[in-house]
Amino acid sequence: MQLRQNNLRKLPEQVFDVLVIGGGINGASAAAALSGKGARVALIDRGDFAGCTSMQSSNLVWGGIKYMESGDFALVRKLCKSRNHLIKSYPSTVQEIRFLTTINRGFRHHPLYPWAGTWLYWLMGNGFTRRPNFLRARDIKAREPIIATEHASGGFEYSDAYLHDNDARFVFNFVRSALDFGTVAANYVESLGARREGDHWVTEVEDRIDGSRFAIRSKVLINAAGPWVDRHNELSGQRTGHRHVFSKGIHLIVPRLTEHRRVLAFFADDGRLFFVIPMGARTCIGTTDTRVESPEVGITQQDVTFVLDNINKRLSLDKPLTEADIIATRCGVRPLAVKPGNGGERDFLNLSRKHAIDVDSQTRHLSIFGGKLTDCLNVGEEVVEEVRRLGIECPYPEVRWYGEPGASLRETFMHQARLMALDTMTAAGASEPLSTRLWRRYGTQALELLEDIRQDPRQGEVLIEGTEYLRGELKLTRRREMVTRLEDFLRRRSKISLVVPEEVIRTSPGLREACDILFGDQAQARLDEYFAATTRDGADAAMGEKMS
């Protein structure tokens, strides 16, 4: 909490070059890029960082193969290059993974047609990944016995990428990089609207924790509020060339369905791609695509039934999946950028996730529409160029503001980890060695964890039952990760609440100690707040099911 309090004091004290509103993937990458290149940046979010769309994705980093069918080859080429760049820049986090796609008889194309498309897709990605394969039904069954192939006419295998950790953690690491570069950032700070005063923007904000209000002054204002970009532009009097339409998507987290680390892809009953995605000891299945009018959405019984029906039709499981198997859910909206007058129902399912940046040069205001995780580095670089055109100096234009620490630092960490036999402390049932996980999550800060464990072996003990998280990680999290509410840690800095049933979390003997570490004398209040919210959310979901 000290990091947040220090930054709250700084926000009203200076004139920033840029204020970024919104800490999802667009805002986080923009803040990291700008501050890395020397601009004075402030970043706020009305909730937690990555607290909306950016924590509800499929965890896939892909080149947009589905846009091949609609002929948007320029976008596919751009996204494939972005995917490749992320794999090279974040080798511990963004990793190539095989997609096994099954085509059933009666599908609109023979399997050879989309298989040929995967070769074009591979070539558009510069042959960076493994080559595609055509598969007969028996080949599919041999590779993945749980797939139901009675009605399959064939399929294919190709490569894309996925996030080994969760999406919100990936986004937060951009926020953490921005903090390291000097950005003054704070979560749970809501913009109430902005106005021009002379050459500056004055943004009135409210601290949603204690209710206090103050103003932040900046030369440039960037609206990266995700699904709420249009609403904030109304508050600030901005008229833009784009607007958002919304698609709701849900995923269900269930026990691990297969030991193989690959994505199983199908075409759902509505014709959209439908995935079975590995998530450590769990499996993520989905997604839906429902047009909605508002970014405030929730899961309905219809959504759950759709996902379960589709997966049970396509897999040969010992027992069909039921609602009792659901450990957690993900539900959010995709904000899709359209021009006014476009985005009608006829073309809705073909709308892409490409981003658009609208710039008002006269008032020095940027609005970022759309976007996806795959394209985040492009967003950061494009925002820097637009801000420079508005007269803001970025004195270090060649600085690389993204990516993992270099191989030599990684080897230093791994060598120290080997010398202290760190991997023998890996939790039972963990999906990877402890050294690999700590490096991926914390980079050079993982060296601090090694020192803490050397001085006090208790820091290497798993603290919360049923998870992999160490006592020492909680202390590092308190110091560096601006955890303000318990959900910030359980859902976004980690993925505990996605993969551990709530009743296990609630009764874990280590949970109270974790809260003591994170929140000090506010520990009980944060515990009560978290479980009151989960109880309320459960009641709201049940009511939604009755009404749907």
Side-chain angles (χ1 to χ4, degrees), residues 413 416 420 438 442-455 459 472 475-477 479-480:
F413 168 78
Q416 291 189 27
M420 60 190 291
L438 294 184
Y442 306 109
T444 54
Q445 299 303 315
L447 288 162
E448 290 185 26
L449 282 172
L450 295 188
E451 182 60 24
D452 289 344
I453 294 169
R454 278 192 289 263
Q455 292 187 22
Q459 302 307 311
K475 293 185 176 181
L476 183 63
T477 296
R479 190 165 62 249
R480 290 181 52 83

Side-chain angles (χ1 to χ4, degrees), residues 511-531:
L511 183 60
R512 175 54 196 255
E513 183 183 347
C515 287
D516 288 337
I517 293 172
L518 291 171
F519 305 116
D521 58 8
Q522 296 183 31
Q524 189 60 50
R526 292 299 175 227
L527 264 174
D528 293 343
E529 174 188 64
Y530 176 76
F531 286 116

Side-chain angles (χ1 to χ4, degrees), residues 26-27 30 222-224 226 229 244 355-358 366-370 379 383:
N26 288 339
I222 297 180
N223 180 359
V229 164
H244 277 145
H355 69 270
I357 301 176
D358 284 3
L366 278 69
S367 302
I368 308 177
F369 294 88
V379 169
V383 166

Side-chain angles (χ1 to χ4, degrees), residues 99-103 111 114-115 118 133-135 154-158 267:
F99 283 61
L100 196 165
T101 304
T102 302
I103 304 294
W115 172 69
T118 64
N133 296 318
F134 179 77
L135 301 172
F156 51 90
E157 197 174 43
Y158 69 100
F267 287 92

Side-chain angles (χ1 to χ4, degrees), residues 84-92 94 377 400 402-405:
N84 298 349
H85 195 28
L86 284 172
I87 292 173
K88 290 185 289 187
S89 301
Y90 296 94
S92 299
V94 183
L377 301 185
R400 190 171 186 263
Y402 56 86
E404 289 182 18

Side-chain angles (χ1 to χ4, degrees), residues 30 458 544:
R458 291 181 69 250

Side-chain angles (χ1 to χ4, degrees), residues 34 46 134 145 155 249 266 302 314-315 339-340 390 401 434 511 538:
L34 287 163
R46 73 173 190 167
F134 179 77
F266 308 92
Q302 184 179 2
R314 289 158 177 82
L315 297 183
K339 294 276 191 178
L390 296 177
W401 53 273
L434 181 56
L511 183 60

